[in-house]
Tab-separated table of all heavy atoms in Angstrom:
chain	number	residue	atom	x	y	z
A	441	VAL	N	-8.813	-7.955	2.293
A	441	VAL	CA	-7.620	-7.113	2.146
A	441	VAL	C	-8.062	-5.678	1.853
A	441	VAL	O	-8.997	-5.455	1.075
A	441	VAL	CB	-6.711	-7.633	1.022
A	441	VAL	CG1	-5.549	-6.672	0.762
A	441	VAL	CG2	-6.191	-9.022	1.362
A	442	VAL	N	-7.391	-4.705	2.452
A	442	VAL	CA	-7.641	-3.293	2.174
A	442	VAL	C	-6.411	-2.702	1.489
A	442	VAL	O	-5.298	-2.778	2.017
A	442	VAL	CB	-7.954	-2.506	3.463
A	442	VAL	CG1	-8.077	-1.014	3.158
A	442	VAL	CG2	-9.218	-3.031	4.113
A	443	ILE	N	-6.609	-2.132	0.298
A	443	ILE	CA	-5.526	-1.456	-0.430
A	443	ILE	C	-6.043	-0.081	-0.818
A	443	ILE	O	-7.068	0.042	-1.494
A	443	ILE	CB	-5.100	-2.238	-1.682
A	443	ILE	CG1	-4.728	-3.679	-1.318
A	443	ILE	CG2	-3.923	-1.540	-2.358
A	443	ILE	CD1	-4.370	-4.538	-2.516
A	444	GLU	N	-5.356	0.961	-0.406
A	444	GLU	CA	-5.830	2.310	-0.673
A	444	GLU	C	-4.659	3.246	-0.917
A	444	GLU	O	-3.496	2.835	-0.920
A	444	GLU	CB	-6.696	2.818	0.484
A	444	GLU	CG	-5.980	2.910	1.817
A	444	GLU	CD	-6.888	3.473	2.903
A	444	GLU	OE1	-7.877	2.813	3.269
A	444	GLU	OE2	-6.574	4.587	3.391
A	445	GLY	N	-4.979	4.532	-1.131
A	445	GLY	CA	-3.958	5.535	-1.381
A	445	GLY	C	-3.349	5.386	-2.763
A	445	GLY	O	-3.776	4.579	-3.583
A	446	HIS	N	-2.315	6.186	-3.020
A	446	HIS	CA	-1.576	6.099	-4.283
A	446	HIS	C	-0.614	4.916	-4.167
A	446	HIS	O	0.570	5.070	-3.873
A	446	HIS	CB	-0.836	7.398	-4.563
A	446	HIS	CG	-1.745	8.529	-4.954
A	446	HIS	ND1	-2.077	8.800	-6.256
A	446	HIS	CD2	-2.416	9.426	-4.192
A	446	HIS	CE1	-2.899	9.841	-6.306
A	446	HIS	NE2	-3.107	10.234	-5.056
A	447	THR	N	-1.136	3.737	-4.408
A	447	THR	CA	-0.396	2.500	-4.223
A	447	THR	C	-0.229	1.790	-5.555
A	447	THR	O	-1.217	1.530	-6.255
A	447	THR	CB	-1.121	1.574	-3.229
A	447	THR	OG1	-1.147	2.202	-1.949
A	447	THR	CG2	-0.415	0.239	-3.104
A	448	TYR	N	1.012	1.483	-5.896
A	448	TYR	CA	1.313	0.695	-7.094
A	448	TYR	C	1.816	-0.671	-6.660
A	448	TYR	O	2.750	-0.766	-5.850
A	448	TYR	CB	2.372	1.377	-7.964
A	448	TYR	CG	2.812	0.504	-9.122
A	448	TYR	CD1	2.100	0.512	-10.321
A	448	TYR	CD2	3.916	-0.338	-9.008
A	448	TYR	CE1	2.478	-0.301	-11.381
A	448	TYR	CE2	4.295	-1.158	-10.057
A	448	TYR	CZ	3.579	-1.131	-11.245
A	448	TYR	OH	3.948	-1.945	-12.291
A	449	ILE	N	1.206	-1.720	-7.175
A	449	ILE	CA	1.613	-3.093	-6.897
A	449	ILE	C	1.936	-3.759	-8.221
A	449	ILE	O	1.112	-3.754	-9.143
A	449	ILE	CB	0.500	-3.861	-6.147
A	449	ILE	CG1	0.182	-3.169	-4.821
A	449	ILE	CG2	0.900	-5.307	-5.918
A	449	ILE	CD1	-1.002	-3.758	-4.082
A	450	GLY	N	3.117	-4.339	-8.338
A	450	GLY	CA	3.568	-4.911	-9.601
A	450	GLY	C	2.912	-6.253	-9.923
A	450	GLY	O	1.803	-6.560	-9.471
A	451	GLU	N	3.630	-7.059	-10.681
A	451	GLU	CA	3.077	-8.299	-11.207
A	451	GLU	C	3.368	-9.497	-10.300
A	451	GLU	O	4.388	-9.546	-9.617
A	451	GLU	CB	3.653	-8.561	-12.594
A	451	GLU	CG	3.318	-7.476	-13.608
A	451	GLU	CD	3.879	-7.773	-14.981
A	451	GLU	OE1	4.554	-8.817	-15.150
A	451	GLU	OE2	3.652	-6.953	-15.898
A	452	ASP	N	2.443	-10.460	-10.338
A	452	ASP	CA	2.634	-11.792	-9.730
A	452	ASP	C	2.907	-11.734	-8.226
A	452	ASP	O	3.666	-12.541	-7.691
A	452	ASP	CB	3.762	-12.542	-10.447
A	452	ASP	CG	3.463	-12.766	-11.911
A	452	ASP	OD1	2.326	-13.145	-12.236
A	452	ASP	OD2	4.362	-12.562	-12.749
A	453	ASN	N	2.306	-10.781	-7.556
A	453	ASN	CA	2.373	-10.740	-6.095
A	453	ASN	C	1.251	-11.583	-5.498
A	453	ASN	O	0.221	-11.810	-6.130
A	453	ASN	CB	2.246	-9.296	-5.595
A	453	ASN	CG	3.408	-8.443	-6.017
A	453	ASN	OD1	4.493	-8.518	-5.445
A	453	ASN	ND2	3.199	-7.619	-7.040
A	454	ARG	N	1.448	-12.038	-4.272
A	454	ARG	CA	0.422	-12.793	-3.551
A	454	ARG	C	0.207	-12.115	-2.212
A	454	ARG	O	1.113	-12.074	-1.368
A	454	ARG	CB	0.877	-14.243	-3.353
A	454	ARG	CG	-0.146	-15.123	-2.632
A	454	ARG	CD	-1.344	-15.440	-3.518
A	454	ARG	NE	-2.238	-16.408	-2.889
A	454	ARG	CZ	-3.335	-16.074	-2.195
A	454	ARG	NH1	-3.648	-14.809	-2.007
A	454	ARG	NH2	-4.096	-17.008	-1.689
A	455	ILE	N	-0.995	-11.555	-2.012
A	455	ILE	CA	-1.326	-10.827	-0.799
A	455	ILE	C	-2.420	-11.597	-0.069
A	455	ILE	O	-3.506	-11.812	-0.608
A	455	ILE	CB	-1.762	-9.387	-1.115
A	455	ILE	CG1	-0.631	-8.660	-1.867
A	455	ILE	CG2	-2.129	-8.642	0.152
A	455	ILE	CD1	-0.962	-7.258	-2.304
A	456	TYR	N	-2.145	-12.000	1.146
A	456	TYR	CA	-3.008	-12.896	1.904
A	456	TYR	C	-4.069	-12.125	2.696
A	456	TYR	O	-3.999	-10.897	2.829
A	456	TYR	CB	-2.161	-13.767	2.829
A	456	TYR	CG	-1.496	-14.919	2.112
A	456	TYR	CD1	-0.415	-14.708	1.251
A	456	TYR	CD2	-1.957	-16.223	2.268
A	456	TYR	CE1	0.187	-15.759	0.584
A	456	TYR	CE2	-1.355	-17.290	1.604
A	456	TYR	CZ	-0.289	-17.052	0.768
A	456	TYR	OH	0.296	-18.086	0.096
A	457	PRO	N	-5.063	-12.833	3.245
A	457	PRO	CA	-6.203	-12.171	3.900
A	457	PRO	C	-5.814	-11.235	5.049
A	457	PRO	O	-4.841	-11.443	5.752
A	457	PRO	CB	-7.038	-13.350	4.426
A	457	PRO	CG	-6.741	-14.470	3.476
A	457	PRO	CD	-5.287	-14.291	3.139
A	458	PHE	N	-6.637	-10.186	5.169
A	458	PHE	CA	-6.600	-9.229	6.277
A	458	PHE	C	-5.361	-8.338	6.269
A	458	PHE	O	-5.083	-7.668	7.272
A	458	PHE	CB	-6.734	-9.944	7.629
A	458	PHE	CG	-8.028	-10.713	7.767
A	458	PHE	CD1	-8.048	-12.083	7.587
A	458	PHE	CD2	-9.211	-10.050	8.047
A	458	PHE	CE1	-9.236	-12.796	7.689
A	458	PHE	CE2	-10.403	-10.748	8.147
A	458	PHE	CZ	-10.425	-12.128	7.984
A	459	SER	N	-4.631	-8.296	5.172
A	459	SER	CA	-3.526	-7.340	5.063
A	459	SER	C	-4.078	-5.936	4.824
A	459	SER	O	-5.149	-5.762	4.240
A	459	SER	CB	-2.584	-7.735	3.929
A	459	SER	OG	-1.952	-8.961	4.200
A	460	SER	N	-3.309	-4.938	5.247
A	460	SER	CA	-3.680	-3.535	5.057
A	460	SER	C	-2.520	-2.837	4.349
A	460	SER	O	-1.439	-2.675	4.911
A	460	SER	CB	-3.967	-2.884	6.412
A	460	SER	OG	-4.299	-1.528	6.258
A	461	ILE	N	-2.763	-2.416	3.126
A	461	ILE	CA	-1.699	-1.950	2.237
A	461	ILE	C	-1.999	-0.515	1.782
A	461	ILE	O	-3.088	-0.233	1.259
A	461	ILE	CB	-1.587	-2.861	0.991
A	461	ILE	CG1	-1.534	-4.344	1.375
A	461	ILE	CG2	-0.388	-2.459	0.142
A	461	ILE	CD1	-0.338	-4.744	2.157
A	462	GLY	N	-1.026	0.382	1.968
A	462	GLY	CA	-1.159	1.739	1.440
A	462	GLY	C	-1.993	2.673	2.285
A	462	GLY	O	-2.373	3.758	1.825
A	463	THR	N	-2.269	2.289	3.525
A	463	THR	CA	-3.016	3.175	4.409
A	463	THR	C	-2.110	4.312	4.894
A	463	THR	O	-0.892	4.260	4.741
A	463	THR	CB	-3.580	2.376	5.595
A	463	THR	OG1	-2.555	1.528	6.131
A	463	THR	CG2	-4.746	1.499	5.145
A	464	PRO	N	-2.681	5.371	5.475
A	464	PRO	CA	-1.873	6.535	5.837
A	464	PRO	C	-0.795	6.208	6.860
A	464	PRO	O	-0.943	5.289	7.670
A	464	PRO	CB	-2.906	7.503	6.428
A	464	PRO	CG	-4.194	7.105	5.823
A	464	PRO	CD	-4.121	5.616	5.686
A	465	PRO	N	0.284	6.974	6.848
A	465	PRO	CA	1.368	6.750	7.816
A	465	PRO	C	0.911	7.088	9.229
A	465	PRO	O	0.058	7.949	9.435
A	465	PRO	CB	2.456	7.715	7.346
A	465	PRO	CG	1.719	8.801	6.634
A	465	PRO	CD	0.565	8.122	5.960
A	466	GLN	N	1.504	6.398	10.203
A	466	GLN	CA	1.247	6.716	11.603
A	466	GLN	C	2.188	7.853	12.009
A	466	GLN	O	3.181	7.648	12.712
A	466	GLN	CB	1.463	5.464	12.463
A	466	GLN	CG	0.458	4.371	12.147
A	466	GLN	CD	0.647	3.123	12.973
A	466	GLN	OE1	-0.300	2.566	13.510
A	466	GLN	NE2	1.883	2.657	13.073
A	467	ASP	N	1.846	9.033	11.557
A	467	ASP	CA	2.677	10.221	11.784
A	467	ASP	C	1.746	11.383	12.076
A	467	ASP	O	0.867	11.709	11.255
A	467	ASP	CB	3.530	10.502	10.540
A	467	ASP	CG	4.472	11.670	10.726
A	467	ASP	OD1	4.003	12.817	10.607
A	467	ASP	OD2	5.659	11.433	10.997
A	468	ILE	N	1.912	12.000	13.245
A	468	ILE	CA	0.969	13.045	13.654
A	468	ILE	C	1.044	14.277	12.763
A	468	ILE	O	0.125	15.100	12.764
A	468	ILE	CB	1.183	13.436	15.125
A	468	ILE	CG1	2.601	13.979	15.354
A	468	ILE	CG2	0.908	12.252	16.044
A	468	ILE	CD1	2.827	14.487	16.771
A	469	GLY	N	2.123	14.421	11.969
A	469	GLY	CA	2.243	15.560	11.078
A	469	GLY	C	1.643	15.334	9.708
A	469	GLY	O	1.606	16.263	8.887
A	470	TYR	N	1.174	14.137	9.429
A	470	TYR	CA	0.621	13.842	8.105
A	470	TYR	C	-0.737	14.500	7.948
A	470	TYR	O	-1.590	14.417	8.835
A	470	TYR	CB	0.522	12.330	7.927
A	470	TYR	CG	-0.043	11.913	6.591
A	470	TYR	CD1	0.710	12.031	5.422
A	470	TYR	CD2	-1.334	11.389	6.500
A	470	TYR	CE1	0.190	11.651	4.201
A	470	TYR	CE2	-1.853	10.998	5.276
A	470	TYR	CZ	-1.093	11.132	4.130
A	470	TYR	OH	-1.622	10.750	2.918
A	471	ARG	N	-0.946	15.136	6.793
A	471	ARG	CA	-2.177	15.887	6.554
A	471	ARG	C	-2.895	15.413	5.288
A	471	ARG	O	-3.560	16.200	4.617
A	471	ARG	CB	-1.869	17.391	6.455
A	471	ARG	CG	-1.311	18.003	7.725
A	471	ARG	CD	-2.377	18.053	8.831
A	471	ARG	NE	-1.872	18.689	10.057
A	471	ARG	CZ	-1.329	18.034	11.069
A	471	ARG	NH1	-1.203	16.704	11.019
A	471	ARG	NH2	-0.905	18.678	12.135
A	472	GLY	N	-2.748	14.154	4.954
A	472	GLY	CA	-3.484	13.618	3.813
A	472	GLY	C	-2.850	13.872	2.462
A	472	GLY	O	-3.507	13.723	1.417
A	473	GLU	N	-1.556	14.220	2.444
A	473	GLU	CA	-0.888	14.484	1.168
A	473	GLU	C	-0.827	13.214	0.297
A	473	GLU	O	-0.912	12.096	0.793
A	473	GLU	CB	0.535	15.007	1.406
A	473	GLU	CG	0.601	16.353	2.111
A	473	GLU	CD	0.656	16.253	3.625
A	473	GLU	OE1	0.411	15.155	4.151
A	473	GLU	OE2	0.941	17.283	4.271
A	474	ASP	N	-0.638	13.416	-1.004
A	474	ASP	CA	-0.640	12.303	-1.965
A	474	ASP	C	0.725	11.607	-1.999
A	474	ASP	O	1.428	11.598	-3.017
A	474	ASP	CB	-1.010	12.803	-3.366
A	474	ASP	CG	-2.458	13.232	-3.467
A	474	ASP	OD1	-3.266	12.728	-2.662
A	474	ASP	OD2	-2.770	14.068	-4.327
A	475	THR	N	1.102	11.033	-0.886
A	475	THR	CA	2.335	10.255	-0.847
A	475	THR	C	2.082	8.866	-1.425
A	475	THR	O	0.943	8.474	-1.694
A	475	THR	CB	2.857	10.155	0.590
A	475	THR	OG1	1.832	9.600	1.424
A	475	THR	CG2	3.248	11.532	1.115
A	476	ARG	N	3.139	8.075	-1.593
A	476	ARG	CA	3.051	6.852	-2.393
A	476	ARG	C	3.521	5.614	-1.627
A	476	ARG	O	4.298	5.690	-0.679
A	476	ARG	CB	3.926	6.989	-3.659
A	476	ARG	CG	3.625	8.152	-4.596
A	476	ARG	CD	2.233	8.071	-5.154
A	476	ARG	NE	2.038	8.879	-6.352
A	476	ARG	CZ	1.495	10.091	-6.357
A	476	ARG	NH1	1.146	10.664	-5.217
A	476	ARG	NH2	1.301	10.731	-7.499
A	477	LEU	N	3.037	4.471	-2.130
A	477	LEU	CA	3.584	3.166	-1.792
A	477	LEU	C	3.835	2.442	-3.095
A	477	LEU	O	2.928	2.330	-3.933
A	477	LEU	CB	2.627	2.361	-0.914
A	477	LEU	CG	2.961	0.880	-0.733
A	477	LEU	CD1	4.305	0.694	-0.048
A	477	LEU	CD2	1.860	0.161	0.044
A	478	ASN	N	5.046	1.962	-3.282
A	478	ASN	CA	5.430	1.284	-4.520
A	478	ASN	C	5.937	-0.116	-4.188
A	478	ASN	O	6.952	-0.263	-3.507
A	478	ASN	CB	6.513	2.097	-5.244
A	478	ASN	CG	6.754	1.611	-6.666
A	478	ASN	OD1	6.658	0.425	-6.950
A	478	ASN	ND2	7.080	2.532	-7.552
A	479	ILE	N	5.235	-1.135	-4.672
A	479	ILE	CA	5.594	-2.533	-4.426
A	479	ILE	C	5.938	-3.184	-5.756
A	479	ILE	O	5.199	-3.042	-6.739
A	479	ILE	CB	4.429	-3.285	-3.750
A	479	ILE	CG1	4.139	-2.672	-2.379
A	479	ILE	CG2	4.736	-4.769	-3.609
A	479	ILE	CD1	2.936	-3.275	-1.667
A	480	GLY	N	7.060	-3.914	-5.795
A	480	GLY	CA	7.532	-4.519	-7.035
A	480	GLY	C	6.807	-5.806	-7.386
A	480	GLY	O	5.601	-5.950	-7.166
A	481	ASP	N	7.552	-6.765	-7.919
A	481	ASP	CA	6.981	-8.001	-8.461
A	481	ASP	C	7.294	-9.209	-7.575
A	481	ASP	O	8.310	-9.248	-6.877
A	481	ASP	CB	7.553	-8.277	-9.858
A	481	ASP	CG	7.298	-7.146	-10.842
A	481	ASP	OD1	6.273	-6.449	-10.702
A	481	ASP	OD2	8.131	-6.955	-11.752
A	482	LYS	N	6.404	-10.196	-7.615
A	482	LYS	CA	6.622	-11.529	-7.030
A	482	LYS	C	6.904	-11.484	-5.529
A	482	LYS	O	7.695	-12.268	-5.005
A	482	LYS	CB	7.752	-12.256	-7.768
A	482	LYS	CG	7.451	-12.490	-9.242
A	482	LYS	CD	8.571	-13.217	-9.957
A	482	LYS	CE	8.218	-13.451	-11.426
A	482	LYS	NZ	9.293	-14.139	-12.154
A	483	ASN	N	6.249	-10.566	-4.852
A	483	ASN	CA	6.335	-10.519	-3.397
A	483	ASN	C	5.239	-11.387	-2.779
A	483	ASN	O	4.162	-11.547	-3.351
A	483	ASN	CB	6.183	-9.086	-2.897
A	483	ASN	CG	7.307	-8.198	-3.354
A	483	ASN	OD1	8.419	-8.266	-2.835
A	483	ASN	ND2	7.036	-7.357	-4.348
């Protein structure tokens, strides 16, 4: 699993193999700004 960026993941989540979490957006205007991903609990 790859988790990067300013990513918050809450409690009791289950993330399975080969997932990619918090990687940069697929947007040609993105310039590496400190944007966020926020994931709650029990996902």
